[in-house]
Amino acid sequence: MAQCVQSVQELIPDSFVPCVAALCSDEAERLTRLNHLSFAELLKPFSRLTSEVHMRDPNNQLHVIKNLKIAVSNIVTQPPQPGAIRKLLNDVVSGSQPAEGLVANVITAGDYDLNISATTPWFESYRETFLQSMPASDHEFLNHYLACMLVASSSEAEPVEQFSKLSQEQHRIQHNSDYSYPKWFIPNTLKYYVLLHDVSAGDEQRAESIYEEMKQKYGTQGCYLLKINSRTSNRLYF
């Protein structure tokens, strides 16, 4: 029988994870695109927490969670279209066929020797993509956003004012009846304010000053200064 790379105990916490939205200003998104990544893609390598997480259930019982994974994605106001999802799944399966020369399990049935693949990479890729592309539904809370990260750049003229506009935009998307998607876990969604600073081009002192202003307005627990380096090397290697 074919073996999967992940066990069930590994699959579930990797597939069903807390979802966090990201809403970026145009300047912040432009800044991340200098590295050919979106803001959500920039955070993906750091989506698994290395420290323990302490959570309390409705009975106020404390639970310790290790290796918690978080899914961060840019806000999309339209649900995935069935046709686009089918095409995506077909492409994933087509690109995940077993490599030639892969060692297979041989099962003898009468006069026949059946070569059975030891693994099923196409199925695992299909399963991962299927779970990631599932639209959020009303009857359960999978793929509902627990929080929203508001992201502005330190190079903007008024970053703190930009945070206010992003907060209003998030509130409009969540509570305006024109938007039935995405889904949110609670009415008053948790907000985190992220100041994106490019150390290769921005003013370090100005970024720190803006960060202090953010903490005074929004509190120290919800404000973060994220430094990136978009400098490209001109050095030639031979």
Side-chain angles (χ1 to χ4, degrees), residues 100-125:
E100 294 184 4
L102 185 68
V103 177
N105 296 331
V106 179
I107 299 177
T108 301
D111 297 331
Y112 299 95
D113 290 332
L114 304 178
N115 294 327
I116 307 297
S117 296
T119 60
T120 53
W122 66 267
F123 172 73
E124 292 164 8
S125 299

Side-chain angles (χ1 to χ4, degrees), residues 124-227:
E124 292 164 8
S125 299
Y126 175 93
R127 181 180 60 191
E128 179 182 359
T129 305
F130 175 79
L131 293 174
Q132 290 178 350
S133 61
M134 282 194 312
S137 58
D138 293 326
H139 66 279
E140 45 75 45
F141 288 103
L142 295 175
N143 297 331
H144 284 55
Y145 286 131
L146 296 176
C148 183
M149 301 172 66
L150 307 176
V151 188
S153 169
S154 63
S155 61
E156 301 189 54
E158 297 291 339
V160 177
E161 181 180 334
Q162 186 64 53
F163 281 121
S164 297
K165 293 180 180 179
L166 292 172
S167 181
Q168 294 171 9
E169 177 68 9
Q170 186 280 326
H171 186 275
R172 185 177 69 86
I173 292 174
Q174 180 173 359
H175 297 285
N176 193 318
S177 58
D178 293 339
Y179 296 97
S180 59
Y181 197 88
K183 305 293 183 182
W184 304 85
F185 190 75
I186 54 176
N188 189 19
T189 296
L190 298 172
K191 295 185 179 70
Y192 297 92
Y193 302 84
V194 180
L195 182 66
L196 195 63
H197 176 64
D198 189 347
V199 298
S200 67
D203 185 333
E204 191 84 12
Q205 188 173 358
R206 181 174 185 268
E208 293 289 348
S209 176
I210 296 169
Y211 182 46
E212 291 300 321
E213 185 179 353
M214 289 166 53
K215 290 191 289 186
Q216 292 179 8
K217 183 172 183 178
Y218 299 111
T220 57
Q221 297 298 321
C223 295
Y224 301 89
L225 174 60
L226 178 58
K227 298 181 180 181

Side-chain angles (χ1 to χ4, degrees), residues 35-100:
N35 299 288
H36 308 287
L37 297 169
S38 67
F39 179 76
E41 291 169 339
L42 190 70
L43 296 185
K44 191 171 183 179
F46 312 99
S47 61
R48 188 178 297 280
L49 306 185
T50 56
S51 58
E52 292 183 347
V53 176
H54 299 82
M55 302 178 65
R56 293 187 181 274
D57 62 21
N59 295 322
N60 204 33
Q61 294 295 316
L62 184 66
H63 300 271
V64 178
I65 302 176
K66 297 181 180 180
N67 300 319
L68 178 66
K69 184 179 179 181
I70 297 175
V72 179
S73 60
N74 292 345
I75 290 181
V76 177
T77 56
Q78 293 294 329
Q81 298 302 310
I85 294 177
R86 284 195 298 269
K87 183 180 185 304
L88 177 62
L89 293 173
N90 288 335
D91 292 343
V92 166
V93 172
S94 299
S96 303
Q97 295 304 313
E100 294 184 4

